[in-house]
């Protein structure tokens, strides 16, 4: 059974720092991996989608990488800002590209001014 | 922009009441999903649908049912609410095909008293 783990559970950094969030999954047979952002009490906002054939995706200050063979993904945030404070979730689709996602528990990021 | 809209942000219901949670998406997506999110348990899939009038059970379907009479609308039904159904409910949609990116609604916080 696929399991997704995100470490650390919480992270606090000063503004301007570059940071990396980690996501690992137990079954490398995935079709894609998606990173989301969730603000307190709100829904999920899609940040990046990486297909299984891709190694990385970039959007602005965000860069996500995928290493299927080792079961790992990282989300790199450059020049962090207080507005980046949120919970970041990774999710994998391992069920034939159906959109059914298995989520990690998330990393709660606080960026201090 | 893809928009997934859930009918209510907050609901308070008494034990035993019937509850309908409505979700509408405007991107002509084939796939629709209902998740619940609980502290320490993360997001878990309740039900999903790949097409009109089709539904399949997710990981935690007990106590729930769904309805999809139109492509854009997916309803979650709690026939007789119990306190253990107090949770954040999240609806999502995604297209069928290669680039199966999921988009989420803003969430419904249901409290059963």
């Amino acid at each position: 059974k696929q399991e997704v783990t995100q470490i650390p559970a919480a992270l606090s950094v000063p503004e301007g720092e570059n940071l990396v969030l980690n996501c690992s999954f137990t079954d490398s047979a995935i079709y894609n991996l998606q990173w989301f952002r969730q603000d307190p009490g709100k829904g999920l906002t899609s940040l990046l989608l990486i297909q299984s054939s891709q190694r990385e995706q970039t959007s602005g200050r965000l860069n996500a990488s995928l290493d299927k063979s080792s079961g790992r993904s990282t989300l790199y945030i450059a020049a962090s800002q207080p507005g980046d404070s949120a919970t970041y979730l990774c999710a994998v689709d391992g069920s034939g590209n159906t959109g059914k996602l298995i989520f990690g528990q998330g990393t709660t990021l606080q960026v201090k001014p | 922009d893809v928009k997934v809209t859930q009918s209510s942000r907050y609901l308070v219901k008494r034990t035993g009441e019937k509850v309908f949670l409505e979700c509408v998406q405007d991107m002509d997506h084939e796939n629709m999903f209902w998740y619940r999110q609980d502290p320490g348990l993360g997001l878990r899939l309740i039900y999903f649908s790949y097409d009109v009038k089709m539904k399949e059970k997710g990981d935690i379907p007990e106590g729930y049912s769904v309805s999809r009479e139109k492509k854009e609308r997916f309803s979650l039904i709690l026939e007789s609410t119990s306190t253990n159904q107090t949770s954040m409910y999240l609806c999502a949609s995604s297209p069928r095909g290669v680039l199966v990116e999921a988009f989420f609604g803003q969430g419904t916080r249901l409290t059963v008293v």
Side-chain angles (χ1 to χ4, degrees), chain B residues 2-21:
Chain B
V2 174
K3 194 158 187 182
V4 180
T5 303
Q6 295 183 226
S7 54
S8 305
R9 289 279 286 122
Y10 301 96
L11 280 175
V12 180
K13 296 292 179 181
R14 295 190 180 277
T15 302
E17 284 191 90
K18 187 171 185 176
V19 176
F20 290 86
L21 302 183

Side-chain angles (χ1 to χ4, degrees), chain A residues 4 7-8 10 12 18 23 25 30 33 40 44-45 48 55-56 63 71-72 77 79-80 84 86 103:
Chain A
V4 181
I7 294 173
S12 180
N18 302 326
C23 173
F25 44 94
I30 65 169
L33 183 145
L44 277 63
T45 299
L48 290 163
R55 296 284 293 185
E56 64 179 271
N63 176 275
R72 295 178 188 231
I77 303 177
S80 58
D84 295 330
F103 284 84

Side-chain angles (χ1 to χ4, degrees), chain A residues 3-109:
Chain A
E3 292 183 3
V4 181
T5 303
Q6 292 184 248
I7 294 173
L11 182 63
S12 180
V13 301
E15 182 177 3
E17 193 163 295
N18 302 326
L19 59 102
V20 174
L21 305 181
N22 296 295
C23 173
S24 62
F25 44 94
T26 54
D27 186 346
S28 61
I30 65 169
Y31 287 84
N32 61 56
L33 183 145
Q34 197 166 351
W35 282 93
F36 296 90
R37 169 187 172 134
Q38 186 176 31
D39 293 294
K42 302 287 181 64
L44 277 63
T45 299
S46 178
L47 297 173
L48 290 163
L49 171 72
I50 310 178
Q51 294 177 263
S52 60
S53 58
Q54 297 174 319
R55 296 284 293 185
E56 64 179 271
Q57 281 282 359
T58 298
S59 176
R61 293 183 294 110
L62 305 180
N63 176 275
S65 68
L66 175 63
D67 184 343
K68 271 184 60 177
S69 61
S70 67
R72 295 178 188 231
S73 175
T74 61
L75 179 66
Y76 175 83
I77 303 177
S80 58
Q81 303 170 358
D84 295 330
S85 298
T87 296
Y88 291 82
L89 295 150
C90 75
V92 300
D93 181 347
S95 58
N97 218 22
T98 59
K100 287 171 55 180
L101 297 175
I102 297 173
F103 284 84
Q105 295 277 351
T107 294
T108 298
L109 172 66

